[in-house]
Amino acid sequence: MRPQDLEEAKLCSLFSKCRPETAMGLLRGAFIQNFPTHTQLNREGEVADFLFFNLSGTIELTAHWRNRETTIDVIERPRAFIVAAVVMDRLYLQSSRVLKAARILMLPAGSVRSAMQADAGFATAMAEEASVAYRHVAQELKGLKLRSGIERLANWLISQDILVGSAHAFNMPYEKKVLAARIGLAPEVLSRAFSTLAKYGVRVEGAKVWIGDIDALRKLAFPDPLLDDETI
Amino acid sequence: MRPQDLEEAKLCSLFSKCRPETAMGLLRGAFIQNFPTHTQLNREGEVADFLFFNLSGTIELTAHWRNRETTIDVIERPRAFIVAAVVMDRLYLQSSRVLKAARILMLPAGSVRSAMQADAGFATAMAEEASVAYRHVAQELKGLKLRSGIERLANWLISQDILVGSAHAFNMPYEKKVLAARIGLAPEVLSRAFSTLAKYGVRVEGAKVWIGDIDALRKLAFPDPLLDDETI
DNA sequence: CGACGAATTGAGTTCACTCAACTGGGGTGG
DNA sequence: CCACCCCAGTTGAGTGAACTCAATTCGTCG
């Protein structure tokens, strides 16, 4: 690992409250790598041999059953992913692939587990990463079971708008078919859901989206921090 | 806390790899309590002031939005719940209520967090609890997005059958309307799904269930360890 | 310019929901 | 001890949401 990579890695939240020697020990066997779009980082069902930390870029977590596939989570900000499989030393429950060119820190699973045993600060950080992941999927599950397709789309639009500074106009951060899988709709149904939202002031042209009447949209979406707050 | 309660508490997985003084310190402010059916243990949206550990009994985790309510998870074996809110010092994402009279260990959230900072073994155990919880909801989410209602029911029947020793006959562990919410169906739809499964050898009389042709059922259900294995 | 994949649009179908009525078992009180 | 009530569960009927298959348009890239 190059010196400047080392400096970059040490800044990430995993190491914020652990002892310097733990971080150094872990980073000795670790590396940072840049991956282009479409790269498959791991496959569901494999034994967990690496902990991944997304430094920048976008990662999609997918799962499949029979010949169906869906999206479990999309990671757009710096955080660890597939934490639980590493902690438990079990099989990955999800595959992950790069949606937008990403810079990834990779830590060998075995040394992660020993570092946890040795350093309470690091183990705590891992518990926090696992908890963040838990709260994300729990939110997904709540949305999926409690909201209709239109409601999920409306709330996604509002969340995305907040993420980009409430300009009420933004570009799709990824393809519409990914969004469809993420919010649990067939691509055709998403397309129709967008048309339906026209009467709430939502305009779509290719990848560009405008929210004409945020209040009307919020009234439909009924956003709730317990389901929609990204930083919860 | 009574001496025999103390002994019982010390046995639970949270303390299996932590220092004795950490366990003792935590248990000083903790208590074990027996709760009857229908007891509400906490409410979604409150600040997390206790970590709960289910020693025995059944707990249902529910969430609501607007006037709708659903079940996120059902806890039937000894494990911690609402771990993530405690670790992150945030609001509970779920309410919990007792489905079958339960014996619960309650640990003050603040002391849990300080114990994590102080004891790597305990922090690791907490990370593992959070990871177990993550993998459970991830499995739920996968099932919900990838399977139809009938498929979810068929797989639930197979899981439950395994849980009780593959006798191909068991009693419903909780009410059918709870099962309906758990697998994401309206009660009426669950009732019809059971009728549909009659042609796969499933018989239902009140709370009693028989699986007449496990192979036929498995062929429909297509169980997969990455979605159905309780101990994953 | 052509080829490919993403996205949209159309049409038909299936799955799951809602509302409503009815059934049956368990518990309570007269 | 029985009548009644209440609630879980079932059954019926109609509706709506979301899926599938197919055809077309659009945009991008070679």
Side-chain angles (χ1 to χ4, degrees):
Chain A
M1 202 152 162
R2 303 173 313 172
Q4 66 265 41
D5 286 354
L6 209 60
E7 289 312 305
E8 183 184 3
K10 277 197 283 189
L11 292 176
C12 86
S13 58
L14 273 179
F15 306 117
S16 63
K17 50 180 101 174
C18 82
R19 296 195 304 266
E21 60 269 30
T22 307
M24 288 314 295
L26 270 169
L27 291 172
R28 228 186 304 284
F31 43 96
I32 289 180
Q33 212 169 327
N34 295 310
F35 294 103
T37 305
H38 298 134
T39 311
Q40 177 117 13
L41 295 172
N42 76 309
R43 250 178 249 278
E44 167 179 19
E46 295 171 339
V47 290
D49 41 19
F50 281 104
L51 174 66
F52 296 88
F53 191 101
N54 180 32
L55 297 165
S56 72
T58 307
I59 309 295
E60 180 186 21
L61 301 186
T62 62
H64 84 277
W65 182 71
R66 290 192 166 224
N67 60 350
R68 302 168 212 171
E69 181 177 298
T70 191
T71 299
I72 301 299
D73 204 354
V74 174
I75 293 160
E76 298 191 78
R77 43 177 91 221
R79 68 172 173 107
F81 54 102
I82 44 173
V83 181
V86 171
V87 170
M88 302 302 290
D89 196 10
R90 299 282 163 81
L91 306 183
Y92 291 124
L93 287 185
Q94 293 120 354
S95 306
S96 59
R97 69 167 154 247
V98 178
L99 279 189
K100 208 183 85 191
R103 190 163 168 76
I104 307 284
L105 171 66
M106 296 171 73
L107 300 160
S111 33
V112 168
R113 285 188 295 270
S114 2
M116 288 172 68
Q117 296 289 347
D119 186 328
F122 180 69
T124 301
M126 285 293 290
E128 287 171 359
E129 289 290 344
S131 297
V132 167
Y134 173 85
R135 287 168 78 84
H136 266 98
V137 284
Q139 286 181 326
E140 289 292 324
L141 191 57
K142 286 173 71 167
L144 205 61
K145 292 181 92 165
L146 293 168
R147 286 171 171 163
S148 69
I150 293 265
E151 287 164 345
R152 292 196 297 276
L153 175 57
N155 278 295
W156 181 86
L157 287 166
I158 290 172
S159 296
Q160 195 62 28
D161 184 42
I162 292 169
L163 200 66
V164 299
S166 302
H168 306 334
F170 56 86
N171 283 314
M172 296 283 305
Y174 33 80
E175 291 175 338
K176 289 204 186 83
K177 66 173 188 172
V178 174
L179 172 60
R182 180 164 169 34
I183 65 177
L185 291 178
E188 299 93 324
V189 180
L190 174 64
S191 184
R192 283 167 185 135
F194 268 123
S195 321
T196 307
L197 289 183
K199 53 175 177 279
Y200 294 88
V202 175
R203 288 284 170 285
V204 182
E205 269 173 35
K208 292 194 269 292
V209 180
W210 292 267
I211 300 176
D213 186 347
I214 187 75
D215 293 328
L217 192 61
R218 288 182 65 88
K219 208 173 150 200
L220 168 72
F222 214 89
D224 177 335
L226 297 180
L227 282 90
D228 304 296
D229 195 333
E230 285 280 327
T231 61
I232 201 146
Chain B
M1 203 153 160
R2 302 174 314 172
Q4 67 266 40
D5 285 354
L6 209 60
E7 289 312 307
E8 183 184 2
K10 277 197 283 189
L11 291 176
C12 86
S13 59
L14 273 179
F15 306 118
S16 62
K17 52 181 100 173
C18 81
R19 294 195 304 268
E21 59 269 31
T22 307
M24 287 315 295
L26 271 169
L27 291 172
R28 226 184 307 283
F31 44 95
I32 288 180
Q33 212 169 327
N34 296 311
F35 294 102
T37 305
H38 298 134
T39 311
Q40 177 119 14
L41 295 173
N42 76 309
R43 251 178 248 277
E44 174 180 12
E46 295 171 339
V47 290
D49 41 19
F50 282 104
L51 174 66
F52 296 89
F53 191 101
N54 180 32
L55 297 165
S56 71
T58 307
I59 309 296
E60 180 186 21
L61 301 185
T62 62
H64 83 277
W65 181 71
R66 289 187 163 226
N67 61 349
R68 302 169 212 170
E69 181 177 300
T70 192
T71 299
I72 301 299
D73 203 356
V74 175
I75 292 161
E76 299 190 76
R77 46 176 90 219
R79 67 171 173 106
F81 54 101
I82 44 171
V83 180
V86 171
V87 170
M88 301 301 291
D89 196 10
R90 299 280 164 81
L91 306 182
Y92 292 124
L93 288 184
Q94 294 120 355
S95 307
S96 60
R97 71 167 151 247
V98 178
L99 279 189
K100 208 182 83 188
R103 190 164 168 76
I104 308 284
L105 171 65
M106 296 171 72
L107 300 161
S111 33
V112 168
R113 284 189 295 271
S114 5
M116 288 173 67
Q117 297 289 349
D119 186 328
F122 180 69
T124 301
M126 286 292 290
E128 287 171 359
E129 289 291 344
S131 297
V132 166
Y134 174 84
R135 287 168 78 85
H136 266 97
V137 284
Q139 286 182 328
E140 287 294 324
L141 191 57
K142 287 173 72 167
L144 205 60
K145 291 181 94 166
L146 293 168
R147 287 172 170 162
S148 70
I150 292 265
E151 287 164 345
R152 291 196 297 276
L153 174 56
N155 278 294
W156 181 86
L157 287 167
I158 290 171
S159 296
Q160 195 61 28
D161 183 41
I162 292 169
L163 201 65
V164 298
S166 302
H168 307 336
F170 56 86
N171 284 314
M172 296 283 304
Y174 34 80
E175 292 175 339
K176 289 204 186 82
K177 65 174 188 172
V178 174
L179 172 60
R182 179 165 171 33
I183 66 177
L185 290 177
E188 300 92 325
V189 180
L190 174 65
S191 184
R192 284 168 184 133
F194 267 124
S195 322
T196 307
L197 288 183
K199 53 175 178 279
Y200 293 88
V202 175
R203 287 284 169 286
V204 182
E205 270 173 34
K208 291 195 270 292
V209 180
W210 292 268
I211 300 176
D213 186 347
I214 189 75
D215 293 327
L217 191 62
R218 288 182 65 89
K219 209 175 149 199
L220 168 72
F222 214 88
D224 177 335
L226 297 180
L227 282 90
D228 304 298
D229 195 334
E230 285 281 327
T231 61
I232 201 146

